[in-house]
Amino acid sequence: MPAVYARRAGVLAATATLAALTSLVTAPAAQAAPPTPISASAARAYLATVTPKAEGSSSGYSRDLFPHWSTVSGSCNTRETVLKRDGVNVVTDSSCASVSGRWYSEYDGATWTAASDLDIDHVVALSEAWRSGASSWTTAKRQQFANDLTRPQLIAVTDNVNQAKGDLDPAEWMPSRSAYRCTYARMWVHVKQYWGLSMDAAEKSALVNTLSGC
């Protein structure tokens, strides 16, 4: 009888362990994230090929020249798509607006439960892109850039942090949360590389310095 009991206890323990492992596998992730940027080594390699170029003029720039937010599917636009992607347990209404959920802002480490407290940051700001080459693009291409869900160009962050960042480049602004700076630099380089946007000397230097410690 003791031997039978021991075997039964072993089976129960194994079952409990399997259930625990299954719950770990099926449990939702802490939060979603933008597409993974290129590696630090790939970013450093690309920067080594970049010849700095002075930024162009802001003359003629308007956010209207970068149409956003575009419809992604049904009633969901790019903003709502990013909010759902970057949040946890996000619930949307019939118009795809986020009515509840939880969001962690990677830039400053704040957690929010109201979508109204978040902005969708263009990692490379629209006006920065304009001065770096997008002024010569077609409006259709600028629209693709402003709604790019494939590259790490869009991220949900604390609204006033995004507003403080404005159109500053990495020589002028980096996330206050230092643990995210390597990722941010990789995101920036990835976006500029893919879209063929130029970098000025101070911007390149700041990225090289940040990525040297990654």
Side-chain angles (χ1 to χ4, degrees):
M1 182 64 71
V4 172
Y5 179 82
R7 286 197 297 272
R8 183 177 299 167
V11 170
L12 291 173
T15 301
T17 300
L18 178 60
L21 289 173
T22 301
S23 68
L24 288 174
V25 170
T26 59
Q31 67 259 348
T36 302
I38 59 175
S39 66
S41 59
R44 287 192 295 266
Y46 174 69
L47 287 171
T49 72
V50 171
T51 300
K53 180 180 178 182
E55 281 192 351
S57 170
S58 293
S59 178
Y61 168 73
S62 168
R63 288 178 66 85
D64 293 339
L65 295 172
F66 293 79
H68 63 290
W69 305 107
S70 297
T71 299
V72 174
S73 176
S75 59
C76 300
N77 65 22
T78 310
R79 172 182 163 82
E80 298 299 351
T81 300
V82 174
L83 282 172
K84 191 167 185 178
R85 181 199 70 190
D86 287 359
V88 179
N89 298 326
V90 177
V91 176
T92 57
D93 62 18
S94 58
S95 64
C96 203
S98 298
V99 294
S100 65
R102 180 167 55 85
W103 292 267
Y104 177 78
S105 172
E106 293 283 8
Y107 288 179
D108 59 330
T111 297
W112 302 100
T113 56
S116 58
D117 288 320
L118 297 142
D119 279 353
I120 306 304
D121 180 40
H122 288 96
V123 172
V124 175
L126 304 182
S127 54
E128 164 70 21
W130 177 269
R131 298 190 299 270
S132 304
S135 59
S136 65
W137 294 352
T138 63
T139 299
K141 185 174 181 178
R142 287 192 289 264
Q143 181 173 11
Q144 292 172 352
F145 175 80
N147 297 276
D148 189 359
L149 292 166
T150 305
R151 265 64 53 180
Q153 161 68 341
L154 300 170
I155 183 171
V157 296
T158 303
D159 54 4
N160 61 350
V161 171
N162 178 56
Q163 291 152 22
K165 173 193 169 184
D167 64 353
L168 303 179
D169 70 29
E172 304 159 314
W173 186 93
M174 289 290 280
S176 61
R177 183 170 164 259
S178 58
Y180 201 67
R181 290 177 183 172
C182 281
T183 301
Y184 182 79
R186 290 162 51 208
M187 294 165 75
W188 185 281
V189 173
H190 187 153
V191 172
K192 283 226 162 175
Q193 177 186 32
Y194 178 83
W195 288 99
L197 295 169
S198 64
M199 297 184 186
D200 64 37
E203 173 188 357
K204 176 182 175 179
S205 179
L207 291 164
V208 168
N209 289 340
T210 298
L211 289 165
S212 67
C214 300

